[in-house]
Amino acid sequence: MANKKNSVLPGFKLTLGYTVLYLGLIVLIPLACTFWKASALTWDQFWHIVTAPRVMASYRLSFGASFLAALINLFFGLLVAWVLVRYQFWGKRFVDALVDLPFALPTAVAGIALTAIYAPNGWIGHWLAPLGIKVAYTRLGVLVALTFIGLPFIVRTVQPVLEDFDREIEESAASLGANRWQTFWRVTLPMLRPALLTGFTLAFARALGEYGSVVFIAGNMPMKTEITPLLIITKLEEFDYPGATAIAVVMLVASFVLLLAINFLQWWSHRHYAPA
Amino acid sequence: MVPASTLSTPRRAAPRRVTAEPPFVRWLLIGVALLFLGLFLVVPLAAVFTEAFAKGVGYYFHSFNDPNTLAAIKLTFIAAGIAVPLNCVFGVAAAWAIAKFDFRGKTVLITLIDLPFSVSPVVSGMIYVLLFGAQGLVGPWFIEHNIQIIFAVPGIVLATIFVTFPFVARELIPLMQAQGRTEEEAAHVLGAGGWQTFWRVTLPNIKWGLIYGVILCNARAMGEFGAVSVVSGHIRGQTNTIPLHVEILYNEYNFVGAFAVASLLTFLAIVTLVLKTWVERKNTALRGAEN
């Protein structure tokens, strides 16, 4: 309802009506339809599908590799953000722009490029092959692709916080006798914690649903290197719609939980950084 | 705040500040960061172009001389050409409603607009198969009326709209919220109509935010793979977008062809990054001038 007390501007009913209609038609009704389709299954049938050994193996890979990739990005993302904010070096602006490449590069391109590099005869793969390390067509390949995909998230959540960071706090710590490492570990890092957690969750959520970059490098062996989104596609191609729907519902619930977590973290970090 | 550098100018020869790391630590950190980015970002970029030109420049251009490639390029432009303007109009409408008025459930609405970002691309495509497919909820009705949505162009357009849904809205909502409504209210009080106010007051204010959102939206629309893959049906020359065509060439072991077509998308990504950086710089410059 238009609150005319608060705004004299026109167009409230038109814009809100259009927003809700478009949102409903494109997003909400199709998503609701998926849950409705899944409800045609009995609980036992649903449970049987989503806990089948092949599906469980795909969860372990998808959740495990996404978690590890987000962890790698947590460390390197903080490092990159730190270097970009605190230090001056030649080509910094170029590097800063390049960080967003995984957002801009289509996932299929990333997938075939990473596969070409890490294949046993690839640029990096042929150095790793004599050491007995296989990346392409193994779980390690999945990890590499998911690390690539999640790379910008932590950099881009930590960077603005670090830019606004009040250096006087670090100066106080130093003047009270803390060395550089103590200052970082006890003062700076705790201040960055909400941003790091938000970035981690964003990277994890993105990796969990990722498909394009992984399918090329993973090898897609059932029970071994098959991610959950691929399993959904396989079921759809076999016209096993109930199976695909049930697994999709599990993925959707996981996404919604993560979305709520991200919203909570963002609220928390806003409160955390709000000027006193 | 007084910049710390002004305070320390009189003691120019002073040793490094207490909040700076020793030089070797600094260079070590920069080195490790650049090595990581080089390994994960620069090497894949270089690999695309090296593989694309592996059999020479002539062969590279030969890869585009194929009706299926050209059809894929055309379809990608059609899908992005429909999805981007639609999401643009939606983004402006949503941001206007959210930023200029108070109503209950605003936070929920903002969260729902962001929803497509947290859904896996594969699931994004699948929801339309469940709705419009032959066994779908409304699919049989459309098929009876000879309207093919899944495994056809409309399905690809729908999936593209879904995955790029929030891009423009999420740029404009915080921007217009921060700008408030005083300028529009002033225009209104001075007798401007709704459209006049929008075109003359709001649009110039949100121009850069809008361009920024469109750049990101377009990059994703042209590059989407998972969602489009589910609804496409992979009919050569008909329902393949550029990324899907790359997959087909790759799976046929036509690596040079796959990387040649992929280099188009890589070029698009580079252009996107350049434009994005340019708008960001332009934007901070504008903000600086306003303050």
Side-chain angles (χ1 to χ4, degrees), chain A residues 188-263:
Chain A
T188 315
L189 197 62
M191 301 276 289
L192 297 176
R193 206 179 290 152
L196 282 168
L197 246 136
T198 308
F200 179 88
T201 318
L202 285 168
F204 178 73
R206 173 68 209 268
L208 201 56
E210 178 55 23
Y211 172 71
S213 58
V214 179
V215 280
F216 293 99
I217 202 168
N220 307 326
M221 297 264 296
M223 304 298 293
K224 281 188 184 141
T225 57
E226 188 177 51
I227 54 165
T228 312
L230 176 70
L231 202 54
I232 295 177
I233 291 222
T234 312
K235 298 232 177 229
L236 283 176
E237 279 170 357
E238 291 165 353
F239 298 103
D240 176 10
Y241 288 131
T245 313
I247 300 170
V249 163
V250 173
M251 293 289 287
L252 279 172
V253 170
S255 319
F256 294 156
V257 170
L258 285 167
L259 184 68
L260 286 179
I262 291 161
N263 278 355

Side-chain angles (χ1 to χ4, degrees), chain A residues 48-210:
Chain A
H48 185 73
I49 295 169
V50 300
T51 57
R54 186 172 166 191
V55 184
M56 292 300 277
S58 83
Y59 298 147
R60 271 195 293 277
L61 177 63
S62 274
F63 282 85
S66 300
F67 188 83
L68 274 180
L71 217 55
I72 293 172
N73 279 322
L74 189 69
F75 177 76
F76 284 102
L78 173 62
L79 176 66
V80 170
W82 182 273
V83 163
L84 286 176
V85 173
R86 292 289 174 98
Y87 305 145
Q88 296 302 324
F89 55 94
W90 189 81
K92 186 167 120 164
R93 283 180 159 187
F94 169 77
V95 173
D96 194 11
L98 192 70
V99 167
D100 280 329
L101 181 73
F103 285 158
L105 192 71
T107 52
V109 179
I112 61 170
L114 290 171
T115 311
I117 297 164
Y118 288 99
N121 58 351
W123 288 350
I124 298 177
H126 90 278
W127 290 105
L128 297 175
L131 305 172
I133 305 171
K134 277 190 207 150
V135 180
Y137 320 120
T138 68
R139 289 175 188 178
L140 207 54
V142 178
L143 184 64
V144 167
L146 295 181
T147 306
F148 173 85
I149 285 303
L151 196 149
F153 286 100
I154 286 144
V155 181
R156 292 305 184 220
T157 46
V158 172
Q159 208 176 3
V161 179
L162 213 49
E163 269 164 5
D164 291 340
F165 193 83
D166 191 353
R167 294 288 283 269
E168 282 173 23
I169 298 171
E170 290 188 354
E171 280 162 21
S172 322
S175 72
L176 291 170
N179 67 29
R180 197 63 200 121
W181 175 249
Q182 281 173 321
T183 307
F184 173 76
W185 192 248
R186 300 258 188 97
V187 178
T188 315
L189 197 62
M191 301 276 289
L192 297 176
R193 206 179 290 152
L196 282 168
L197 246 136
T198 308
F200 179 88
T201 318
L202 285 168
F204 178 73
R206 173 68 209 268
L208 201 56
E210 178 55 23

Side-chain angles (χ1 to χ4, degrees), chain B residues 57-91:
Chain B
V57 180
Y59 203 91
Y60 173 81
F61 285 106
H62 174 75
S63 306
F64 297 108
N65 194 11
D66 167 24
N68 290 333
T69 307
L70 296 177
I73 294 173
K74 195 176 143 200
L75 182 57
T76 295
F77 276 97
I78 291 173
I82 297 172
V84 175
L86 279 179
N87 285 336
C88 220
V89 171
F90 163 74

